[in-house]
Amino acid sequence: MKLSFRNRIALNYMIATAVIMAIIFSVVFFIVQETMYQNIDNNLNFEASKHSGEIKIIGESIQFINKAEWEEVEHKEIQINPIFIQIIDVNGKLMDKSPNLKSDVLPFKNINEYGTHFNTNLKDQTIRQIQKPIESNGVTKGYMLAAMTLEPSMMVLNKLRNTLLISYLVMLCGLYFISRYLAGRSIIPIKNITQTTNRITKNNLNERVELPVYKDELYDLSSGINQLLQRIENAIERERQFTSDASHELRTPLASLRGTLEVLIRKPREIKEYEEKITYSLTEIDRMTETTEQLLLLARLDANNNELNKILISLPSLINEILVRYDKDILIKNLKVELQIQNKTELLVPKYHANLILDNIINNAIKYSKHNQSIIIQIISIDNSILCKIKDEGIGIKHEDIPNVFNHFFRSEALEHKHISGNGLGLSIALKSAEAINAIISLESEPNAGTTFKINFLSKS
Ligand code: ADP
């Protein structure tokens, strides 16, 4: 049976209450029943003791002394809950009985313990009875039987039982519907969440779940979902921006390429002119190829392949490998590159991502340095992290541009240094790689004084 969440809450609540109420009602019923028996038993004890003192034993016969008075009272008063008294001898033969018994005789039960109370029947009535021995000089002469009808008490008990049973069932039914209603009200925020999330598609990602009034668990759930939606919206917006920037970045060189080739084929030209235009076109194609490769790399970094983090390399040898890669550029600009290692402990970093970070930052330091300047690379091991500083004396970055240098395709004052090639993707790649290994990149820069990048590799990365 498939029950809704609301019905399940109501049912569980009802079962729990049903168990508790069943225990309480049973206890109430048994307490009333016990109290009633106790009252009757006390009465029977009292009457049996009282009448034991009102008998005479003559030989084998046992008789009541005041039978005449008794009969008179019987005539005058109507007893609502009469007590029957009867005397029998040791053989069970009837000796005497109270006038209210008329022709009836109380049944004698052969029991071991005299003085205990038990239920039995007198004609079609249930009665409660006690049997006490009558002794004379230490010898049992007979038994005094005292009994009382249980009918009125039974009626009260039955009524109590029926009332408890009916109110139990009514209460459970009522409780089920009330708790179903309350459960329904308390899950309204969940319904809101479901409706809103069902409505949201990629075209209306700005919709949000309505927050409940009270700051409870459902409030936390709703605001958690809203935060998630916000993050998804931001990510999709970034993705849109990236796609549009990327296509723009590729469309511009393609248009220029097309223009160059169109001009070239309009009329026959000198060989030298052909050579010039084709060389230009090839450079543009190279640039586009590099941009496409970098875009692919960024997409791959998004996939976050953890396996790549497992291959480690010593940081100084990685830096040396990168410097060898840019040997030619360093020579052309006659740069002085210095690698300083402060403490010679084991300086291991994840090879793949550390290479992407340092390659882009060292390449920039070389690109944006002027001739005959110095680049200092420092490696400092602090506690459980490795700090790598790359300091150049190059063109520097305008203060207001520093927060943007990690954005895709951002180039600070690109028109000021047209001769320096680039597409504004290098630092985006470095940042994404750093995120993949929990490294932190920060920078300080002063225009025309130089830039210092700091990369903090945490040892657990
Ligand atoms: P690019 O391919 O243009 O170098 P990057 O993403 O690597 O792209 O860098 C973004 C921008 O940050 C660069 O265009 C440049 O303006 C600035 N920049 C980065 N590193 C340096 C540096 N060492 N010195 C001066 N400017 C830098």
Side-chain angles (χ1 to χ4, degrees):
M1 188 173 50
K2 268 198 174 172
L3 282 180
S4 67
F5 182 55
R6 173 190 175 188
N7 285 341
R8 262 200 336 262
I9 294 181
L11 192 71
N12 289 343
Y13 191 55
M14 201 188 75
I15 291 172
T17 320
V19 173
I20 295 170
M21 289 317 287
I23 294 171
I24 293 175
F25 280 12
S26 312
V27 169
V28 168
F29 182 79
F30 284 112
I31 287 176
V32 172
Q33 183 176 294
E34 275 313 296
T35 317
M36 194 200 75
Y37 275 132
Q38 221 164 31
N39 261 334
I40 294 174
D41 292 350
N42 288 345
N43 267 344
L44 288 176
N45 280 346
F46 173 74
E47 288 294 328
S49 312
K50 192 178 97 183
H51 289 291
S52 298
E54 296 169 353
I55 49 169
K56 53 179 184 226
I57 305 170
I58 309 161
E60 292 300 303
S61 116
I62 313 165
Q63 301 286 314
F64 289 115
I65 303 172
N66 51 354
K67 191 86 176 287
E69 270 171 53
W70 211 347
E71 271 166 356
E72 202 176 321
V73 173
E74 185 77 7
H75 275 296
K76 282 189 201 153
E77 291 171 14
I78 301 165
Q79 284 179 307
I80 298 165
N81 216 359
I83 293 182
F84 308 114
I85 309 287
Q86 181 177 300
I87 304 169
I88 52 164
D89 69 5
V90 278
N91 300 318
K93 197 176 144 210
L94 177 68
M95 292 281 115
D96 205 351
K97 61 180 178 178
S98 58
N100 57 9
L101 268 170
K102 300 202 172 85
S103 59
D104 299 330
V105 176
L106 292 177
F108 175 68
K109 228 185 190 183
N110 239 335
I111 45 174
N112 288 338
E113 259 187 64
Y114 291 98
T116 51
H117 303 84
F118 56 90
N119 291 357
T120 177
N121 288 318
L122 180 65
K123 287 206 290 192
D124 51 354
Q125 284 185 49
T126 313
I127 55 166
R128 184 105 175 135
Q129 188 167 307
I130 184 174
Q131 300 175 167
K132 281 192 165 187
I134 301 169
E135 287 173 354
S136 167
N137 302 327
V139 181
T140 306
K141 293 282 180 184
Y143 298 98
M144 167 80 68
L145 276 55
M148 198 182 208
T149 175
L150 275 180
E151 292 300 305
S153 316
M154 284 300 204
M155 223 162 70
V156 172
L157 274 185
N158 284 347
K159 259 205 175 128
L160 176 69
R161 191 192 55 211
N162 293 345
T163 314
L164 288 180
L165 215 66
I166 291 169
S167 48
Y168 180 69
L169 294 176
V170 170
M171 209 190 62
L172 285 190
C173 282
L175 199 78
Y176 176 75
F177 288 109
I178 292 172
S179 42
R180 199 170 163 270
Y181 169 73
L182 291 178
R185 272 179 62 107
S186 32
I187 59 168
I188 287 176
I190 297 184
K191 281 193 174 158
N192 280 343
I193 294 172
T194 319
Q195 278 167 1
T196 317
T197 45
N198 281 346
R199 240 188 353 251
I200 293 176
T201 63
K202 80 175 190 322
N203 300 323
N204 60 342
L205 258 178
N206 54 348
E207 267 211 46
R208 292 291 175 270
V209 175
E210 199 185 312
L211 292 176
V213 183
Y214 302 109
K215 295 204 166 178
D216 51 14
E217 292 86 345
L218 290 177
Y219 182 95
D220 292 343
L221 175 68
S222 307
S223 60
I225 289 179
N226 282 346
Q227 282 163 18
L228 174 71
L229 286 171
Q230 188 61 52
R231 286 199 296 276
I232 296 175
E233 193 185 351
N234 292 347
I236 290 188
E237 185 46 44
R238 273 201 307 275
E239 203 85 355
R240 265 192 209 138
Q241 189 60 44
F242 179 66
T243 318
S244 105
D245 289 349
S247 50
H248 172 80
E249 231 19 62
L250 292 173
R251 221 179 309 131
T252 315
L254 272 176
S256 124
L257 206 59
R258 186 188 169 89
T260 312
L261 294 176
E262 268 175 358
V263 170
L264 207 59
I265 109 171
R266 229 172 259 161
K267 55 175 190 182
R269 300 182 185 262
E270 297 282 308
I271 292 270
K272 196 169 162 263
E273 210 175 331
Y274 278 121
E275 272 178 11
E276 223 173 73
K277 297 290 179 199
I278 289 171
T279 312
Y280 166 77
S281 299
L282 286 174
T283 324
E284 281 302 283
I285 289 170
D286 283 348
R287 244 167 49 82
M288 278 194 294
T289 313
E290 199 189 329
T291 306
T292 329
E293 269 165 14
Q294 287 193 306
L295 285 173
L296 277 173
L297 182 61
L298 269 172
R300 237 180 285 140
L301 283 172
D302 268 337
N304 202 358
N305 187 349
N306 285 334
E307 282 305 299
L308 291 172
N309 299 351
K310 290 185 183 152
I311 306 165
L312 302 177
I313 187 169
S314 127
L315 187 56
S317 43
L318 175 65
I319 291 174
N320 280 325
E321 269 179 33
I322 295 169
L323 290 176
V324 170
R325 243 175 263 159
Y326 296 108
D327 227 6
K328 218 169 111 197
D329 304 294
I330 295 170
L331 262 177
I332 293 170
K333 281 194 170 175
N334 191 29
L335 298 175
K336 188 172 165 251
V337 182
E338 206 179 312
L339 175 59
Q340 302 174 351
I341 303 167
Q342 286 206 350
N343 15 19
K344 308 238 174 218
T345 46
E346 204 184 29
L347 302 162
L348 291 178
V349 289
K351 185 175 178 183
Y352 181 79
H353 293 101
N355 174 50
L356 287 174
I357 301 170
L358 294 167
D359 186 289
N360 280 299
I361 292 175
I362 294 175
N363 181 20
N364 280 350
I366 298 167
K367 267 197 321 191
Y368 298 104
S369 286
K370 294 173 189 162
H371 280 76
N372 307 320
Q373 287 185 329
S374 300
I375 296 174
I376 300 172
I377 303 174
Q378 281 180 313
I379 301 175
I380 309 154
S381 156
I382 318 165
D383 295 334
N384 51 357
S385 67
I386 306 167
L387 180 69
C388 179
K389 281 191 196 176
I390 297 154
K391 184 175 183 308
D392 66 60
E393 301 168 340
I395 62 170
I397 307 166
K398 264 176 35 184
H399 286 170
E400 59 267 40
D401 283 350
I402 292 179
N404 299 324
V405 289
F406 293 100
N407 293 348
H408 301 318
F409 302 110
F410 180 84
R411 303 203 71 207
S412 172
E413 312 229 283
L415 296 178
E416 300 286 311
H417 43 79
K418 277 194 206 152
H419 58 286
I420 306 176
S421 72
N423 52 21
L425 285 176
L427 287 183
S428 304
I429 292 172
L431 183 68
K432 212 154 246 169
S433 307
E435 280 166 3
I437 55 169
N438 297 326
I440 298 162
I441 306 181
S442 58
L443 74 143
E444 287 160 13
S445 188
E446 210 45 65
N448 296 317
T451 307
T452 305
F453 273 89
K454 287 182 194 164
I455 308 115
N456 202 341
F457 296 96
L458 301 171
S459 70
K460 277 185 192 152
S461 58

